[in-house]
Amino acid sequence: MSAIPSTTRTWCLYAGGLLVTLLPLAVLSGDLFWVNILIYTYLFAGLAVAWNIIGGFGGQFSLGHGVFFAVGAYMTARLYLGWEISPWLGMIPGALLCATIGPLVFWPTFRLKGSFFAIATLAFNEVGLVMANYLHTVTGGPRGLQIPFKAGLGNMIFADQCIWALIMFGFMALCVAITIVLMRSRLGYYLLAVREDEEAAHAAGIDVTRVKLRDTALSAALASIGGSLFAMYIRTIDPPTLFSLADIGVKFALIALIGGIGTIIGPVLGAFLIIPAESYLRAVMGGGLPGLHLVVMGGVMLLAALFMRRGVAGALDALWRRRSRSAS
Amino acid sequence: METLLNVLVVGILLGGIYGLVSIGLNLIFGVIRIVNFAQGELVMLGMYGAFLAYSMLGLDPYVSTLIVMPAMFLFGVIVQRVAIQPLQAESSMQIFATFGLLTVLQNVVLVFTRGEGYSVATKVASFSIAIGEIRITGTHLIILIAVTAISVLLHLFLQRTLMGKSIRAVTQDRQAARLMGINVERTFMVTFDIGSALAGLAGALIAPIYTLSPGIGDNFILAAFAVVVLGGLGSVAGAWAGGMIVGIVEAFAGYYIDPELKQAIWFLIFLLVLVIRPTGLSGQVGAEEVGFREQS
Amino acid sequence: MAAALEKRLMTEPFFSVRNVVKRFAGLVAVDNVSFDVSRGEIVSIIGPNGAGKTTLFNLLTGQLAPNSGEVRLNGALINNLPPDQRAKLGLGRTFQIAKPLIALTVIENTMMGAFLRYPGLRASEKRALAILEQVGLADRANVRASELTLSERRRLEVSRALALEPQLLLLDKVMAGLNPSEVTESIALFRRLHDTGLTILLIEHNLKVVRAFSERVIVLDHGAKIAEGDATTILSTPAVVTAYVGTRKRA
């Protein structure tokens, strides 16, 4: 048995897996409530996959990815509102900017150990929030930016929600594909080596800092694209939404945790568990007692941290190993 | 000159609040390195505890500390056993667990209060003294006295008592402390519980100057981390000074730069200190274990 | 040109350490140490605990930078290069406390080193497998490194270093904690590697190992080099016996 499964088979497996996630859309395409939930599920699956590149595979526990998400959202919305630049193009400068500021900001903090890195990136998120409120001309300040409804492919505004679902699916598929390509290359292995033991990685000829910076850039750029799509989908963005820890910054990490940090399918699984459950609970409980659904979500997070540290993917993996061991 | 003095007084008062809400975290994060994102919620619970004692028993918030502190100590015992102890060595899981706890606590309170804002009254509020143009109310004055007194007492506790000494030993070198016969696990537990009780105390003491809301802890948490890191992780005097620094920086930045940027300034100072000197400004805990990766 | 190059290769030692000093807060850990290693040699560095062996080793691997002095490999000045650059120039090392990447398999651990010369996944895997066969870990290739025994972990260290295709292999107390038969096996392994032309520099506590296969011994005490020569002579020099064996008896 080889350590590396054959390429074609892997790709078919992942492609098949991704296509399965389209099934609920096919079934529920007439139900706007569920289509909306699916749109968020695909989007957050993609975002969690993007976070997982540096947060999971790279072991750099970022709570500051909300900043990249927000930069993408503001950049795209601003370029569209101010200069009528199509969001399809407007996504690119945001992604490039994040690929630059991500490594620049994280670079000094890379010397910090786990929890200190997390706190520093949390502070980074809060600086982002303050600046977004302050820079009125760019962000519209606390009132935010509103994008008028003018349907059209070039405007990335659609009357048919199913198109949005497909776009978000595409984003998720893009993030998954990039992760697979990365993790099946030398650079992906280097990322794992850096997470496992920096000294050993150094001794094995790996430029540890460069590996971290490069993958931070990649992860930040993808988070930015997610932010751009989010902005064009909800068409109204403001600082409390974009920099919310519970709904954005920490949520990427939470989804990855529930699904399985540092696995390729984990964040996708996590998104398919968390987002529909949360949206459903919010709809069912939110009317009666505001906050009740968040009590449940917080409890799930606590329990996952205590009892399911390797997530669903980890639990499945353990089950699989046990079965294959008893079979042989 | 007059303005300068006024801004300074505002900063010191603010610094007292920041210092007070950080005392518990200084033990929990500064000493035993638990990344407790729910610390602000412990303060919030202390505030609501004072409110309950006030509305149900008619107690003055300062009297209610006699109930709130033991109650929060017990709450700390439960939280520590259930959520913290199993994750002692896993900082990223602590982040998740305590963030989950934060979400639960905030929203349980939201469910019970249905979003209504409460306030707590005290006779002390009517008393005030004037410094320049600034009137300092009794409530603010008590906070300033309390943060100083608690710091002194905590310092004496850490220096003089056996428990305090074992806490300090555990801070400096876990392994050596264990070899010297200190029950490290028990020390961790007690430290967390005291940290929780002190957060509750802080909550009760600041309750009269805030309108209570479930999310109020969010205002304190990053400030508390900043205070603890600036002060030098576990240093009691450092945390007192750290609180003052954050308060004064915020007041001056708010007045002389831009009110909207007042927090961004100390966030940046905090980030800078984290990156350059994670052992903090007074940083006597010299071990590289503190913030940097081990050097060799 | 060719003549000049040849002349340089003739005159310059393969690996040279010149007047290296390392101070920690006033304490001199490595005090003006100089020595050379020729291509194909096996050299041991010995000394009592606290003699500065580990610090010296870290100066050679790039874990630490010296306060002054020079370290050269093939004439190139390397004393300020980080470990990864030194690895590229042909310096492989092991860690005293083995550092397996425990979430990864044995072959993946070895591939981390092999990527340096074989960037492709397949090529690197092929190379890693060959090395695992060489060190006797091939049958454990797909096991997670976390499941290895101590002696297997040590061999994994060696295979990851060998995968870099180093010209000089630095071994940090690579026999510590092994039982006598494992030590014998390891010595045999390093002899085989040496026969392929590999130069080896090791820090060693075990005098049996030092006697068994080092051609030259360097003795450190209080950070300074106090003796150098062939193993048999050195190990019977009175100064070495007092510094090294004497301290050891007391300890």
Side-chain angles (χ1 to χ4, degrees), chain A residues 1-2 184 189 199 321, chain C residues 63 112 121 125 142 144:
Chain A
M1 190 187 96
S2 157
R184 292 180 43 76
Y189 278 84
E199 271 183 48
R321 273 168 192 272
Chain C
Q63 210 81 6
M112 290 302 173
L121 223 52
E125 191 194 14
N142 292 303
R144 278 195 200 210

Side-chain angles (χ1 to χ4, degrees), chain A residues 61 108 110-113 115-116 118 120 122 126-127 130 133-134 198 253 257 289 291 294 298-299 301-302 309, chain B residues 35 37 87 90 92-93 95-97 99-100 103-104 107 114 222 258 260 267 271 274-275 289-293:
Chain A
F61 207 90
F110 276 146
R111 351 191 278 154
L112 298 171
K113 277 213 289 186
S115 52
F116 286 80
L122 185 76
E126 299 307 299
V127 172
V130 173
N133 275 317
Y134 181 69
E198 290 195 8
L257 167 78
L289 288 167
L294 287 174
M301 193 163 171
L302 182 55
R309 289 170 217 180
Chain B
V35 191
F37 279 131
L87 303 174
E90 297 181 64
S92 52
M93 287 302 144
I95 294 170
F96 278 124
F99 202 87
T103 313
V104 170
N107 289 289
R114 306 199 168 218
L222 202 63
D258 193 313
E260 286 191 58
F267 284 157
L271 272 174
L274 254 184
V275 167
E289 177 263 334
V290 175
F292 291 128
R293 293 170 190 283

